[in-house]
Amino acid sequence: MLAPLHDWNLVPSEARALQSQLAERLETSDRLAPVSHIAGVDIGFEDGGETTRAAVVVLKWNPATAPDLSVVEQVVYREPTRMPYIPGLLSFREVPAALGAFAMLSVQPELVMVDGQGIAHPRRLGVAAHLGLWLDLPTIGIAKSRLCGKHAEVGEQRGDWVPLYAGAETIGAVVRSRAKVKPVYVSPGHRVTLETSLAWVMRCLGRTKLPEPTRLADRLASRRDERQS
DNA sequence: GCGACAG
DNA sequence: ATCTTGTCGC
């Protein structure tokens, strides 16, 4: 791991101030190495919330078979839950565990998809953006619901999307990843543009609502998949 | 002051 | 997020 960016033990007011500072360090243009592996990250909870469980799944990117991607590695990391869920401060609850899981990987991905917002956040530092800074890797946020921003109705065809705005600023996109299903909220985290984020999400989309990396991580983080390997 | 509010 | 059964639909 690289040098620690900051302390995690902060009270809400300090955490919010830090988010604004860190958001200024996000790279908003593309800086990706050739993609051969994509990771999906998600966090779940056990013991009534006392234990935080981070799951990372690494998939081999194969344009010839996409969106069918093979799982190269998957890890689960557990640690005591640090703080409660507070809207806007999700990353302080989840990123530490995610870092623990990444430290267990033997295969390093060039791109990371996270369950949650990228810059589509009140201070432009959602969990995907925050994790990207710590890992110094390109990250994309794929959330199942909206945290902030406004948008028009999105079309009903799979692949339709509309911009997500915060005033005049475009902070993400609302994507109909699957017909007849609630749309997902895609926003860039670190080192990727919205256009590139959308392209990768679309490429990893099967017939399900979530792109493969996030879908598999979601399953591994949840206790639906008590399996570990 | 009154809502909204990722996971 | 998690607690939880059956049920509607491809």
Side-chain angles (χ1 to χ4, degrees):
Chain A
M1 185 63 55
L2 292 70
L5 273 184
H6 59 74
D7 247 303
W8 287 106
N9 256 55
L10 305 174
V11 295
S13 59
E14 299 175 319
R16 293 189 185 94
L18 176 59
Q19 290 181 318
S20 298
Q21 288 291 310
L22 293 177
E24 296 177 3
R25 300 169 58 165
L26 290 173
E27 290 180 33
T28 59
S29 52
D30 287 323
R31 181 159 77 82
L32 297 89
V35 176
S36 61
H37 292 92
I38 302 175
V41 192
D42 190 30
I43 277 67
F45 297 87
E46 305 174 336
D47 313 323
E50 291 177 20
T51 300
T52 298
R53 165 170 164 161
V56 176
V57 176
V58 179
L59 305 177
K60 175 152 192 56
W61 169 247
N62 182 341
T65 63
D68 289 321
L69 308 172
S70 55
V71 175
V72 170
E73 181 175 17
Q74 56 179 32
V75 299
V76 170
Y77 171 83
R78 292 180 174 81
E79 67 172 30
T81 297
R82 315 203 160 218
M83 58 179 275
Y85 167 67
I86 299 174
L89 298 183
L90 181 68
S91 63
F92 288 86
R93 174 173 161 86
E94 302 192 340
V95 170
L99 293 174
F102 267 89
M104 295 172 71
L105 293 178
S106 56
V107 178
Q108 294 305 312
E110 292 78 35
L111 177 64
V112 181
M113 292 191 184
V114 185
D115 189 333
Q117 314 289 351
I119 62 170
H121 174 281
R123 291 166 295 282
R124 308 295 177 270
L125 196 83
V127 59
H130 202 162
L131 179 62
L133 285 175
W134 272 85
L135 296 174
D136 189 26
L137 282 178
T139 52
I140 299 171
I142 298 100
K144 297 182 290 298
S145 65
R146 187 191 69 90
L147 171 60
C148 67
K150 297 181 172 240
H151 64 86
E153 293 259 324
V154 60
E156 8 190 84
Q157 302 309 308
R158 179 173 176 286
D160 285 347
W161 64 273
V162 294
L164 176 63
Y165 298 108
E169 180 184 4
T170 299
I171 57 176
V174 186
V175 182
R176 187 75 70 186
S177 52
R178 177 177 183 176
K180 298 177 181 178
V181 174
K182 288 176 62 72
V184 293
Y185 294 74
V186 176
S187 60
H190 187 41
R191 295 172 52 175
V192 285
T193 61
L194 174 58
E195 295 64 41
T196 298
S197 298
L198 283 171
W200 278 109
V201 167
M202 302 293 192
R203 288 196 275 255
C204 294
L205 226 42
R207 320 187 200 77
T208 52
K209 163 174 176 167
L210 297 175
E212 284 300 277
T214 296
R215 186 182 72 79
L216 294 174
D218 217 296
R219 206 184 48 163
L220 188 59
S222 159
R223 51 195 318 179
R224 288 193 294 282
D225 197 310
E226 216 61 53
R227 301 238 25 70
Q228 283 191 54
S229 64

